[in-house]
């Protein structure tokens, strides 16, 4: 988890949530307050701690907002949860990322482009079944951290998975359209593969060059033989905005192709939760809030509602603080109970790791509720693809 550490004044120490980040020492170098203690536990076991610290001349305590659990421990626990949590086949994701790397690396070679696009379309035909098999889609998205060269490929795969997930929710009896949307999601940014030709313009402050990629992408797809209007519409129009202020055609509302509206929502959510276009990624719950705020200007509200109903206000993988001081990770959300997900409880109210982890269902009539989101373990890390050849 992210190490969010800050100095807390003693007057606020028992009013905030978190864990003591480092040992608090007296002038004689003895430990007054050990690192790792939960502030929730302090409130119950040592309510006099503030006075004690003041007597030693201490005015601030370093606190971190994270529990003692790692993303790796969470992933390891998923296999033992009942009912089980199914993730997308990681091999399929690795192969997709590898194939995308080939396309991007040989974009100027027409034969490479054509073969690569055909290969990815074949892969796309398998994704609808995989997406139905792995309903907690945010747990199947891939983190691009520390994989700079593959970020564009990983972003495209994540957008395709989200696109297919949303499309299946909106059009469950139109499988051909769902597959077209997935292909559109896979190739929505393919025009950016030509950006190295415009590097001089970009360096010299001509950001409009970035708005060319939908047109470049559409041209490339047509050149490789793609004629599907839903695919081409998604690639060309995924940066159109509901209010008519997007690119490249400033299409308003219902004039935007449906496939493009779906890809636009998937693309925005993925951008918000990754480092590809932002300095710091935000968590899934924050991204959902931002998406809702942009609905009237940027997105088709029906598509945003479909995303919200599918992943909830706290998407699977969100680390949450419960009202009783325990910490857990959201596993799934039911469409009619967006505020009542199933949670994997990992840390007890005293800041101690629960062993084994426990699952619980937040209930409307219950006393326990989600107080806030602390972090996000939604995206998984993948080892690089290694060809057998």
């Amino acid at each position: 988890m992210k190490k969010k550490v800050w100095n807390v004044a003693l007057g606020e120490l028992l009013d905030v949530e978190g864990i003591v980040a480092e040992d608090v020492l007296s002038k004689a170098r003895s430990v007054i307050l050990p690192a790792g203690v939960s502030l929730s536990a302090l409130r119950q076991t040592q309510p006099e701690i503030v006075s004690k610290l003041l007597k030693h001349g201490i005015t601030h305590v370093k606190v971190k907002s994270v529990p003692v659990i790692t993303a790796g421990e969470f992933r390891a626990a998923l296999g033992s949860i009942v009912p089980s949590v199914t993730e997308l086949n990681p091999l399929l994701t690795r192969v997709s990322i590898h194939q995308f790397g080939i396309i991007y690396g040989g974009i100027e070679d027409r034969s490479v482009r054509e073969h690569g696009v055909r290969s990815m379309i074949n892969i796309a035909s398998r994704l609808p079944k995989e997406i139905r098999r792995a309903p907690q889609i945010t747990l199947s998205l891939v983190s691009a951290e520390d994989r700079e060269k593959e970020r564009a490929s990983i972003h495209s795969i994540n957008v395709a998975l989200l696109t297919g997930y949303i499309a299946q929710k909106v059009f469950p009896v139109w499988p051909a359209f769902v597959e077209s949307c997935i292909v559109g999601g896979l190739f929505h940014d393919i025009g950016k593969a030509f950006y190295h030709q415009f590097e001089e313009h970009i360096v010299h402050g001509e950001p409009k060059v970035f708005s060319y990629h939908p047109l470049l992408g559409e041209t490339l797809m047509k050149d490789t033989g793609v004629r599907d209007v839903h695919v081409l519409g998604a690639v060309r129009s995924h940066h159109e905005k509901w209010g008519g202020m997007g690119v490249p055609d400033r299409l308003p509302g219902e004039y935007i192709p449906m496939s493009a509206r779906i890809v636009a929502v998937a693309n925005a959510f993925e951008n918000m939760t990754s480092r590809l276009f932002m300095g710091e990624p935000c968590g899934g719950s924050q991204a959902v809030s931002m998406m809702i705020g942009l609905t009237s200007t940027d997105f088709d509200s029906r598509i945003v509602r479909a995303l919200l109903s599918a992943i909830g206000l706290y998407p699977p993988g969100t680390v949450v603080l419960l009202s009783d001081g325990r910490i857990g990770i959201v596993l799934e959300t039911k469409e009619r109970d967006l505020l009542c997900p199933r949670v994997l409880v990992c840390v007890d109210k005293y800041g101690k790791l629960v062993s084994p982890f426990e699952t619980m269902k937040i209930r409307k009539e219950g006393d326990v509720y989600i107080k806030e989101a602390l972090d996000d373990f939604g995206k998984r890390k993948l080892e690089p693809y290694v060809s057998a050849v």
Side-chain angles (χ1 to χ4, degrees), residues 315-342:
T318 303
V319 184
V320 293
L321 173 68
L322 303 178
S323 58
D324 60 2
R326 291 182 294 170
I327 292 171
I329 304 172
V330 174
L331 294 175
E332 65 177 343
T333 300
K334 299 297 184 182
E335 186 169 344
R336 296 184 179 180
D337 294 307
L338 299 183
L339 292 173
C340 301
R342 187 161 68 111

Side-chain angles (χ1 to χ4, degrees), residues 237-388:
S237 302
H238 67 278
H239 279 305
E240 299 289 354
K241 297 183 182 299
W242 194 251
M245 298 303 290
V247 295
D249 303 308
R250 299 174 71 89
L251 298 177
E254 298 290 343
Y255 288 94
I256 303 171
M258 180 57 73
S259 58
R261 300 181 213 173
I262 296 173
V263 172
V265 168
N267 183 48
F269 183 85
E270 159 61 15
N271 283 343
M272 292 173 186
T273 57
S274 74
R275 294 177 182 270
L276 189 61
F277 303 112
M278 303 175 67
E280 281 291 327
C282 64
S285 60
Q286 185 182 353
V288 167
S289 298
M290 293 168 66
M291 296 290 297
I292 293 172
L294 291 170
T295 297
S296 61
T297 58
D298 289 19
F299 309 117
D300 183 341
S301 61
R302 292 169 292 179
I303 307 304
V304 175
R305 284 198 300 270
L307 175 67
L308 177 60
S309 67
I311 66 175
L313 293 174
Y314 300 98
T318 303
V319 184
V320 293
L321 173 68
L322 303 178
S323 58
D324 60 2
R326 291 182 294 170
I327 292 171
I329 304 172
V330 174
L331 294 175
E332 65 177 343
T333 300
K334 299 297 184 182
E335 186 169 344
R336 296 184 179 180
D337 294 307
L338 299 183
L339 292 173
C340 301
R342 187 161 68 111
V343 174
L344 181 68
V345 178
C346 307
V347 179
D348 66 20
K349 63 182 179 180
Y350 301 110
K352 302 294 185 181
L353 199 64
V354 175
S355 181
F357 296 158
E358 305 168 352
T359 59
M360 67 168 293
K361 176 73 165 63
I362 303 294
R363 303 188 182 280
K364 291 181 180 178
E365 66 277 8
D367 296 329
V368 179
Y369 58 90
I370 293 177
K371 190 170 182 180
E372 64 176 303
L374 298 178
D375 208 336
D376 197 327
F377 284 164
K379 292 185 177 180
R380 61 183 178 179
K381 291 185 177 181
L382 285 178
E383 295 299 322
Y385 172 79
V386 179
S387 175

Side-chain angles (χ1 to χ4, degrees), residues 20-26 29-37 61-62:
V20 177
E22 59 183 43
D23 290 343
V24 178
L25 306 176
S26 68
R29 309 301 293 173
S30 61
V31 177
I32 306 172
L33 188 59
V37 173
V61 173
K62 286 189 176 181

Side-chain angles (χ1 to χ4, degrees), residues 53-131:
L53 292 171
L54 283 172
K55 288 179 181 178
H56 287 274
I58 295 165
T59 59
H60 290 75
V61 173
K62 286 189 176 181
V63 173
K64 63 180 180 180
S65 64
V66 296
V68 285
I69 180 174
T70 67
E73 289 171 325
F74 167 59
R75 290 286 168 178
L78 287 180
S80 61
I81 292 172
V82 179
S84 62
V85 175
T86 305
E87 297 180 80
L88 190 76
N89 183 347
L91 179 60
L92 183 60
T93 306
R94 290 190 188 99
V95 170
S96 301
I97 293 170
H98 176 70
Q99 289 288 352
F100 249 116
I102 293 175
I103 297 174
Y104 272 82
I107 197 66
E108 295 180 4
D109 186 323
R110 183 170 183 175
S111 64
V112 172
R113 293 200 305 264
E114 291 180 347
H115 177 74
V117 169
R118 285 196 299 269
S119 296
M120 292 306 297
I121 289 176
N122 287 334
I123 290 174
S125 68
R126 298 180 55 186
L127 288 178
K129 181 179 179 180
E130 283 288 317
I131 292 170

Side-chain angles (χ1 to χ4, degrees), residues 226-240:
V226 174
R227 296 291 180 265
D228 188 321
V229 294
H230 303 304
V231 173
L232 297 176
V235 174
R236 181 186 180 102
S237 302
H238 67 278
H239 279 305
E240 299 289 354

